[in-house]
Every structure is written in structure tokens, then in C-alpha cells.
Amino acid sequence: MAARSGPEIGESLREYGRGLAGGLIFSLPLLYTMEVWWAGFIAHPARLLLYVVVIFLLLLGYNRYAGMRHDATWLEVAIDSVEELGLGIVTSALTLYAIGRIGRHTTLDEAMGTILVEGGLVAIGFSVGTAQLGAGGQEDEGMGGRQQRVRFAGQLVITFCGAVLFAANVAPTEEILVIAVETAPERLLLLAAASLALSALILYFSDFARADRFAQAESKRQALAGTVITYAIALVASAGILWFFGRFDGQSAAVMIAETVVLGFPASLGGSAGRLLLQS
Amino acid sequence: MNKPHKNALEWSVFFVSAIIVLATIGSLAWSAISDVDSPPDLSIVAGKALPGQQGTHRVPLLVRNLGNTTAQSVQVEVILRRGAEEVERGELTLSFVPRHSEREGWVTFRNDPRCCEIQARAVSYESP
């Protein structure tokens, strides 16, 4: 065994520990949210299947572009993602058991859905936690990171990941629907404008940590384009999450759009600020 | 082709994770293909009555959803019937009965349910 070189057992345990802490920090609000438990047993199996696929793709995105190991190969990234998904599911099952959501009275069908929906969210927390809570010693940002500036496609992926990470916290709640149906269209327009303005502010005008490295704009036109792209990605992410949590079921197009704009606000903050933080 | 650097612990975590993930995907795919879309279908079984406080009688109810869709806001009505006569009526509300799952609830009666036949049915429910 010793011949196969890898990190020491102690080092991998420490890494799993960081992942666990991160997984719980990022997903505990959702582990304690009723609508997320319900989504697990309400969603059709085909929808859950799609959910797992999307979570896995997001994990690939986080691990490839947000982790500090920019030298990792796609195979390593895929292996890490499978690990995080498995650990996420186990952590979610244990937590749900501890808070009395699953147990003797629940059937396998019911428990599996809830464990899976929560597990996917915990897995993302694992991924972010492993990367973000890491000891600074492994790789100093100034050296390794700089020449590895993530290119445009990577920035899109990481914007999407940041948007999902932030928006998922509020997306399953009833409040999104309440705001969407009770708010007048012109105020929603205000919300959309605020989303755009804040994205621009964070990415290009307020010297946000490392904004110059990841979101450099040579001209005003480029800054405008970057802002619009960020908001577009935030809207797509919002619509996807809302659809999964059944918030689009049976709604009129006008309500769907309103919901998307409402969730687009946190999503655009996640897409702009979140992505800078994820990469720092 | 350089192999990923991992120790025995990390490989075991990976293989266990891979099994969990594949099993989950497999079972989901199977039910996605095999389950026809059927609306909630509730069966209610009344259990054996137990004496309760202040001379009441407690009757356990097991509500099972045999359909492939979750039932929400389930209203259950329980009637104690002696022949054609309705002796007493009880009600139970359940917020959710997930597909292929069951929920337990209780109704209490002033009359001793052993006098009569217990008839229970789900009056109404939503599909979320």
C-alpha cells in the first residue's frame, strides 16, 4: 500500500473534516427547511434524477474552477465529485435522522427523496468547504493562482455555481411565490434594475476582493456585457431551481417570470460576489 | 497517463460513494421508467381501539398512499355505524401522505367503538 503514493491518512481525514464542516455550514439552513423535505417526496423520480445530474455537473464546476487545485485533471475532479456526492448523501441521512425527519415511520421511497435532495445540497457545501476552509499552507494564492487565470467559459460556470449556491437558500421557501404574486410589475422592474446595478457594482466598480483578477473589463462596453451576462446566468439558474422545487407547477407565465425576477436578485448577488469569493 | 494520487482511505471513500450514487441513480431511473403517473390513492385502516382519558376511546388510523403522487391536505372522515344508524363521527387532517408511504393518526370517540363498525375514508386531498 505504501508504494501507492498519496497524501497521509491524517491529511485526508483533515480534508474530510473541513468538507464536513463546510457541508453543514452551507446546507444547514436547508436541512432545517420544511419545503426542502417536501420537495424530496413530492418530486417525480425523473425530476429527482435530473436533479442528481445537475448537482453532479455543478460539483464538477466547483471542483474544477473554484477549488484551489487548478492543476487537477478532469478524472481527479470527477472522482472528487463522486466522493462529495456520496459523503453529502450520508451526512444528509444522518442529519435528517437526528432531527427526526426519517426513521421507522418513513418508507424507503419517502426517505430516499428527502435524503437525496438535501444530500445534493450538502455535497455542494462539502465541495465549497473543502476548498474555502483549507489551510493556507498548501498553495499560496499569489504564486500558483495568478498564472492560472480562469478563462471566460470557466467564469460562466463559476458564475452559475455562485448563483445557485446563494439562490438555493431561499428558492424553496413560500416567500418567493408570495413576493412574486403580491408585488406590482413596476417594482419587480426595480428589483431587476437593482440586480443589474449590484452585479456591475460588485464586479467592476467597488474593488471587491480579486475582482480585478477575475472580471477585468478593458472598456465600458465590456463591463456592460459582463453585467448582462451575469444577470442572464442568474435568471437561468433561478428558473431552474424554481422549476425543480415545483414553484412553476401550474403557474401562469407571468407568475413564473415574476418568481424568476424575485429569485434573480439573490442569484445575481451570488453570481457576482459569490463567484469572486469562491475563487479567492 | 498519471494516476490520481490517493491513499487507501480516499479510495475506500470513493468506492463507497460510487456505490451509493450509482444505487441511488439506478433506483430513481427504475422508478422513473416503471412508475406510471397515477394520482394519490389512499387506503385507511383503523386499528384496535384503546381507552383514552375522560372516558374517550382512541382509535389509531393508518393512512397509506398506494398512488404514485403525493397527497397533500388529506381530510379523513371516520364514522361509527351500528347498522344504518350513524353513532358518531370523527375527523383527521394530515398535511402530507407521500407516494408509497404511510402516516399514522388517531381519532377519539365518546362511544365505545366496539359497539359498531368503523368506516373510514379520505374525503378530499390535493396533489401538490
Side-chain angles (χ1 to χ4, degrees):
Chain A
M1 267 291 107
R4 189 182 282 175
S5 70
E8 282 174 55
I9 299 281
E11 176 49 41
S12 5
L13 278 176
R14 278 192 289 277
E15 197 174 308
Y16 290 133
R18 285 202 299 276
L20 180 66
L24 289 175
I25 287 171
F26 285 103
S27 63
L28 216 54
L30 292 164
L31 279 160
Y32 278 21
T33 303
M34 287 196 291
E35 287 89 344
V36 184
W37 312 331
W38 297 340
F41 56 71
I42 290 174
H44 188 271
R47 203 181 273 201
L48 284 176
L49 199 59
L50 189 65
Y51 174 79
V52 180
V53 172
V54 171
I55 289 282
F56 190 75
L57 292 177
L58 281 172
L59 284 173
L60 290 178
Y62 286 112
N63 290 335
R64 180 68 184 84
Y65 298 112
M68 17 191 189
R69 290 183 296 179
H70 286 295
D71 54 336
T73 63
W74 275 108
L75 179 65
E76 286 175 303
V77 167
I79 288 176
D80 281 354
S81 305
V82 171
E83 264 183 46
E84 282 153 5
L85 199 50
L87 290 168
I89 289 173
V90 173
T91 310
S92 133
L94 293 175
T95 312
L96 289 169
Y97 179 79
I99 60 176
R101 290 307 104 203
I102 55 173
R104 266 188 316 115
H105 59 281
T106 40
T107 55
L108 186 65
D109 257 30
E110 180 187 352
M112 206 179 78
T114 307
I115 293 172
L116 191 65
V117 171
E118 297 282 12
L121 300 164
V122 181
I124 288 176
F126 254 92
S127 165
V128 175
T130 315
Q132 299 294 301
L133 309 175
Q138 275 176 304
E139 183 189 342
D140 199 27
E141 212 51 56
M143 306 290 289
R146 189 162 267 295
Q147 81 264 29
Q148 266 286 351
R149 199 199 290 168
V150 179
R151 280 189 307 267
F152 185 68
Q155 290 298 331
L156 296 188
V157 173
I158 205 73
T159 300
F160 189 82
C161 292
V164 171
L165 189 66
F166 273 43
N169 277 299
V170 285
T173 61
E174 190 91 49
E175 280 81 347
I176 301 296
L177 184 62
V178 172
I179 299 173
V181 291
E182 290 182 0
T183 309
E186 62 270 20
R187 292 208 204 166
L188 290 177
L189 214 53
L190 195 68
L191 206 56
S195 310
L196 278 164
L198 275 168
S199 301
L201 193 75
I202 291 165
L203 288 173
Y204 302 106
F205 297 111
S206 57
D207 286 338
F208 217 75
R210 304 190 194 277
D212 56 334
R213 233 178 73 197
F214 298 117
Q216 247 171 0
E218 270 86 48
S219 63
K220 284 220 171 75
R221 226 181 62 197
Q222 231 174 335
L224 185 68
T227 307
V228 171
I229 291 170
T230 301
Y231 189 48
I233 291 174
L235 288 178
V236 171
S238 305
I241 305 172
L242 287 167
W243 173 79
F244 172 74
F245 283 111
R247 292 277 170 235
F248 280 179
D249 295 354
Q251 305 290 0
S252 69
V255 173
M256 288 186 204
I257 292 171
E259 283 182 282
T260 309
V261 170
V262 171
L263 190 61
F265 188 45
S268 60
L269 283 178
S272 48
R275 89 153 126 138
L276 299 179
L277 297 172
L278 282 172
Q279 289 180 94
S280 62
Chain B
M1 174 84 201
N2 55 334
K3 282 194 157 176
H5 300 294
K6 282 187 173 291
N7 58 36
L9 173 71
E10 292 184 338
W11 279 120
S12 1
V13 170
F14 168 71
F15 282 116
V16 173
S17 300
I19 290 167
I20 293 175
V21 172
L22 289 177
T24 309
I25 291 176
S27 105
L28 280 179
W30 192 78
S31 33
I33 295 165
S34 64
D35 283 8
V36 276
D37 263 342
S38 63
D41 181 11
L42 299 178
S43 109
I44 300 164
V45 181
K48 205 168 162 305
L50 294 170
Q53 301 297 317
Q54 281 116 26
T56 58
H57 301 270
R58 297 171 287 163
V59 177
L61 291 178
L62 190 65
V63 183
R64 195 173 280 143
N65 185 355
L66 304 170
N68 286 330
T69 312
T70 295
Q72 192 178 357
S73 314
V74 179
Q75 302 283 340
V76 177
E77 174 194 75
V78 189
I79 298 170
L80 289 187
R81 202 181 282 279
R82 191 191 294 129
E85 180 202 2
E86 182 181 312
V87 178
E88 204 178 335
R89 189 183 276 259
E91 270 171 25
L92 174 70
T93 308
L94 295 167
S95 41
F96 282 103
V97 185
R99 53 201 193 87
H100 308 305
S101 299
E102 53 191 38
R103 286 285 187 272
E104 200 184 19
W106 296 77
V107 277
T108 65
F109 292 107
R110 277 185 299 274
N111 296 289
D112 189 339
R114 278 173 296 185
C115 69
C116 327
E117 186 196 354
I118 303 176
Q119 290 181 334
R121 76 179 171 110
V123 182
S124 65
Y125 39 83
E126 307 175 34
S127 47

